[in-house]
Amino acid sequence: MSFTPFKLAISAEMVFLDLPFTERVKRIHALGFSVEIWNWTTKDIQALVATGADFTSMTGYISGNLTDPEDIQQLLDSAQESLAVAAQLGCPSLNLHGTGLGDQGLPVKPVAQTTGRMWLSACKTLEKIARLGEDAGRVFLLENLNTEVDHPGTPFARADDTLALIEAVGSPHLKMNLDLYHAQIGEGNLIELIQRAGSAIGEIQVADVPGRMEPGTGEIHYRAIARALFGMGYSGVVGLEGWASGDSEVALERFRQAFTLDG
């Protein structure tokens, strides 16, 4: 007997691109998946609520970063605004990056090298973020990114970096959004990485390499990763944050099959 031990979610930003955004959400929901969104400021929140979809993750800030005093306050203020929207959507998790991202995912303030002072500042900022999450009963997720292809100049980008910060903060309201597409490009050794991250993981995001499309289009053995996640007791969200190689509905079914196990 086959079974899916994870909650499967789809980024509505990257599939069914021929449809208006709210219609994408309806389509994903109708196919039995949960939904993830990026910048909530560009969305009709009440229309999204009316779809009845299960929202598992959304971007948890509008602007700011973890290290510069003025930008830290922007980050904290916009995180507070994002929490109010998350409450409307019933969304339990809010996503963060090492810095604010602009056009094409490039850092608003690129960093050539992270200093010790920046690490200390990031840790203190994330402690404040975790307290906001605790007060609201929600979890912030810090996502790893790759700097080789998609996000050059992003500080605290590697999975090792995000894991170190999360472990330093030590709060159940700050977890890791472990994006395996980014990790494969930047670090590899994915099964060892997810086992090492363990309870720090709040979500797994996936897409294949190269191309950032659904599982089965590239080099990552996602069936093996699914077995490893199940073996370590992970039963949380696995989100497809990737483009469809062709028909979106076919891509979503390939994703489902990659994370369906044989009993």
Side-chain angles (χ1 to χ4, degrees), residues 96-201:
L96 298 172
H97 308 103
T99 189
L101 301 178
D103 293 341
Q104 281 79 53
L106 298 177
V108 175
K109 292 185 176 180
V111 174
Q113 183 177 3
T114 51
T115 65
R117 187 180 297 275
M118 290 172 68
W119 276 94
L120 289 172
S121 179
C123 188
K124 290 178 181 178
T125 302
L126 289 169
E127 287 174 348
K128 295 176 182 177
I129 286 286
R131 285 196 290 273
L132 291 177
E134 182 175 9
D135 290 343
R138 305 196 185 275
V139 178
F140 282 91
L141 304 175
L142 185 61
E143 181 183 3
N144 62 295
L145 302 172
N146 79 79
T147 57
E148 292 85 351
V149 176
D150 298 289
H151 307 285
T154 300
F156 317 109
R158 292 169 58 86
D160 274 345
D161 298 340
T162 57
L163 179 57
L165 286 167
I166 288 158
E167 289 179 336
V169 173
S171 167
H173 295 276
L174 180 70
K175 295 280 189 175
M176 187 177 190
N177 179 357
L178 179 48
D179 189 308
L180 298 181
Y181 162 79
H182 292 305
Q184 174 69 359
I185 292 172
E187 294 155 88
N189 203 12
L190 297 182
I191 289 178
E192 190 277 335
L193 175 59
I194 61 177
Q195 291 172 340
R196 178 158 44 91
S199 61
I201 298 172

Side-chain angles (χ1 to χ4, degrees), residues 9 36 56-57 93 95 141 175-179 200-205 234 236-240:
E36 301 190 346
T56 51
S57 176
S93 300
N95 205 50
L141 304 175
K175 295 280 189 175
M176 187 177 190
N177 179 357
L178 179 48
D179 189 308
I201 298 172
E203 177 175 345
I204 295 287
Q205 284 189 335
Y234 181 79
V237 175
V238 176
L240 175 62

Side-chain angles (χ1 to χ4, degrees), residues 205-220:
Q205 284 189 335
V206 306
D208 223 329
V209 177
R212 200 174 187 178
M213 293 182 286
E214 76 271 10
T217 58
E219 67 193 19
I220 302 178

Side-chain angles (χ1 to χ4, degrees), residues 60-84:
Y61 69 108
I62 303 165
S63 61
N65 65 38
L66 299 174
T67 56
D68 300 325
E70 181 177 328
D71 294 323
I72 288 170
Q73 194 57 53
Q74 288 181 31
L75 180 70
L76 295 172
D77 290 345
S78 63
Q80 192 73 70
E81 291 181 66
S82 300
L83 282 166

